[in-house]
Amino acid sequence: MEWERKIAQWRSEGVIDIETAERIQAFETRQPEKRKLPLLLIIGLIFFALAVFSFIAANWQAIPAIAKVGMVVVLMWIFYILAHFSEKKRFGHPIIFRILGYVMFWASLIVTGQTFHLGTGSSIVPWALFIAAIAHFFIWRHSAFTVLAFISGITILSSAAPGIGLVEWLLFIAVTLVWFFLSKDGLAMIFSWLLLFGSGLLVWSIWDIESPLVPIWTLFALTLLLLLIPQDKQKLLSPLYLLVGGIQLIVFLAIRGESDMAFAELTMLEAIALAIAGAAVLALAYFRERHVMWLGVLGLVGFMLYDETAIVLAIAAELTALAYLIIAQRQDQPLALGFVYFIVVQFVIYVIYAWERLDMSLFFLIGALLLFALSGIAWWLNRKKEGAVT
């Protein structure tokens, strides 16, 4: 067996002594052996399932309505029972059976709605799938149900967007917040955070607001979560805050540089309020998670949008990218996110200002020379600082 070969290798290399090897061997010997289904049996079961489904599909119209629903529900419970015995008797993969059971649950909702003409075009089915996926996640703690819950949540947001009501919107936020705070898994926190951000964008349809600053307001509102989560979770989510904030700044730069669409609704009062909110976010980040202090730049976007040339936005994006790279390098922080952001900013600026005026190679050559000059200045200042300390 594999573990026996490993023990022999560790003993020959002197990693473990004879006594430790004997204890490991005794422990592994007591473990129940995982049973594997014979290959021919698996193939036979697959062909049998295909035959049953083909027969049902061919005679679907002739099957009574109650029998259609009953068959799907029975299939759902068969998969869940198989998952239970798969885990208990140690054969197959229980998670596959549970996912199939979840799929059959979805199929039962669709079949019931279509059979009894209940209609499946509303958000009832996505809501049921969303709650079921979250329940599956908390019961079995598997990342597959995290992905399924996220897909179901996106389906709710997309299906409810044209006519979602205030009550349903608040209920979605409440359920997603519960998932966010009770889940200890990092992927679940990221997906639930993204759903919270997506729910904030529904403000456009709920209150018929024309302001282009809704995404920034949503991001600022989500910074309040930093007050309620532990420090390790703050470090997990801070790159997500920076990523969404950087994307927003680039999108505003691209849209403002190419058109005046949606910015006629912007008022000076809202721009001032956003600047105050940005200062509050800056102060909050300073005391809780300094990596997200960069979000304070977004508080000035309201004023920047009044510049029809979008030059102020371009300068803000450029300086933010350069400053992030310089500071991250001096603090030995990861540079991948900053480099991607910087390159995207360069492409957007080129498309807006230099597409028909300057050759792309010359544009990026100028950018490279600028980076070399700035890195040289930073190196010289750092050497001067080290000399003064010495």
Side-chain angles (χ1 to χ4, degrees):
M1 298 177 70
E2 179 64 21
W3 60 268
E4 292 176 338
R5 187 184 65 80
K6 282 289 185 183
I7 290 176
Q9 181 182 2
W10 293 338
R11 285 188 58 185
S12 64
E13 295 292 335
V15 177
I16 59 175
D17 54 23
I18 298 177
E19 193 174 317
T20 304
E22 290 176 350
R23 287 202 304 269
I24 295 175
Q25 185 173 7
F27 173 79
E28 291 292 342
T29 305
R30 291 194 302 268
Q31 299 304 308
E33 185 178 353
K34 187 173 182 180
R35 301 174 183 176
K36 295 183 178 179
L37 290 175
L39 179 60
L40 292 178
L41 177 60
I42 295 175
I43 297 176
L45 288 174
I46 292 174
F47 275 98
F48 177 76
L50 290 174
V52 171
F53 281 113
S54 298
F55 176 79
I56 293 174
N59 299 275
W60 184 253
Q61 298 299 329
I63 299 175
I66 193 66
K68 294 178 182 178
V69 178
M71 281 190 300
V72 181
V73 173
V74 168
L75 279 173
M76 177 187 73
W77 283 110
I78 287 175
F79 284 125
Y80 282 124
I81 293 171
L82 283 173
H84 172 74
F85 285 103
S86 173
E87 186 175 44
K88 188 175 181 180
K89 302 297 183 181
R90 299 177 66 85
F91 69 89
H93 300 281
I95 186 61
I96 295 179
F97 293 119
R98 286 170 182 148
I99 292 176
L100 290 173
Y102 176 83
V103 172
M104 287 298 105
F105 170 70
W106 169 77
S108 66
L109 295 177
I110 298 296
V111 171
T112 303
Q114 292 179 348
T115 302
F116 297 101
H117 307 288
L118 300 177
T120 57
S122 64
S123 60
I124 296 177
V125 172
W127 262 107
L129 295 175
F130 183 52
I131 299 297
I134 293 178
H136 282 59
F137 169 77
F138 283 119
I139 294 172
W140 291 295
R141 296 285 180 177
H142 197 279
S143 57
F145 297 115
T146 306
V147 177
L148 291 173
F150 178 68
I151 295 173
S152 303
I154 292 295
T155 306
I156 293 175
L157 295 178
S158 59
S159 62
I164 187 172
L166 179 61
V167 175
E168 185 178 0
W169 180 67
L170 292 175
L171 181 61
F172 181 84
I173 293 176
V175 173
T176 310
L177 279 174
V178 170
W179 186 30
F180 177 84
F181 285 112
L182 294 183
S183 60
K184 300 178 181 179
D185 181 64
L187 184 62
M189 292 194 72
I190 290 174
F191 279 163
S192 56
W193 188 94
L194 289 173
L195 290 179
L196 288 172
F197 180 77
S199 65
L201 301 183
L202 291 181
V203 171
W204 273 322
S205 61
I206 294 175
W207 283 291
D208 197 21
I209 293 177
E210 300 293 338
S211 171
L213 302 178
V214 169
I216 299 180
W217 283 113
T218 302
L219 186 60
F220 282 177
L222 290 177
T223 55
L224 296 176
L225 294 177
L226 297 176
L227 297 172
L228 306 173
I229 58 177
Q231 190 172 8
D232 58 333
K233 302 302 181 183
Q234 294 174 15
K235 294 186 180 299
L236 171 69
L237 292 178
S238 59
L240 187 60
Y241 278 94
L242 295 179
L243 179 63
V244 175
I247 291 174
Q248 288 187 15
L249 189 58
I250 292 173
V251 170
F252 278 115
L253 171 61
I255 296 178
R256 191 66 176 113
E258 292 295 325
S259 67
D260 295 328
M261 183 178 62
F263 299 120
E265 303 293 333
L266 181 62
T267 62
M268 181 59 68
L269 183 62
E270 185 181 7
I272 295 173
L274 186 69
I276 296 173
V281 168
L282 190 66
L284 171 64
Y286 180 81
F287 292 106
R288 298 294 296 188
E289 180 57 45
R290 295 190 177 183
H291 288 97
V292 298
M293 289 178 63
W294 300 97
L295 298 181
V297 177
L298 294 175
L300 302 175
V301 169
F303 296 121
M304 297 178 188
L305 291 178
Y306 283 99
D307 174 28
E308 297 181 358
T309 62
I311 291 178
V312 179
L313 274 170
I315 294 174
E318 186 84 2
L319 292 180
T320 303
L322 289 173
Y324 180 88
L325 285 173
I326 293 173
I327 294 175
Q329 184 180 24
R330 296 190 65 176
Q331 295 179 350
D332 294 327
Q333 297 292 330
L335 300 177
L337 185 64
F339 269 116
V340 172
Y341 175 61
F342 178 80
I343 293 173
V344 174
V345 168
Q346 305 313 305
F347 272 106
V348 173
I349 291 177
Y350 176 78
V351 171
I352 294 175
Y353 298 107
W355 183 266
E356 297 179 353
R357 303 181 185 90
L358 193 66
D359 185 77
M360 183 178 291
S361 59
L362 181 58
F363 176 81
F364 285 107
L365 176 61
I366 295 173
L369 294 176
L370 177 63
L371 276 179
F372 290 151
L374 290 174
S375 62
I377 295 172
W379 172 81
W380 179 75
L381 291 174
N382 192 40
R383 285 291 300 272
K384 188 177 179 180
K385 182 179 178 180
E386 291 177 355
V389 172
T390 303

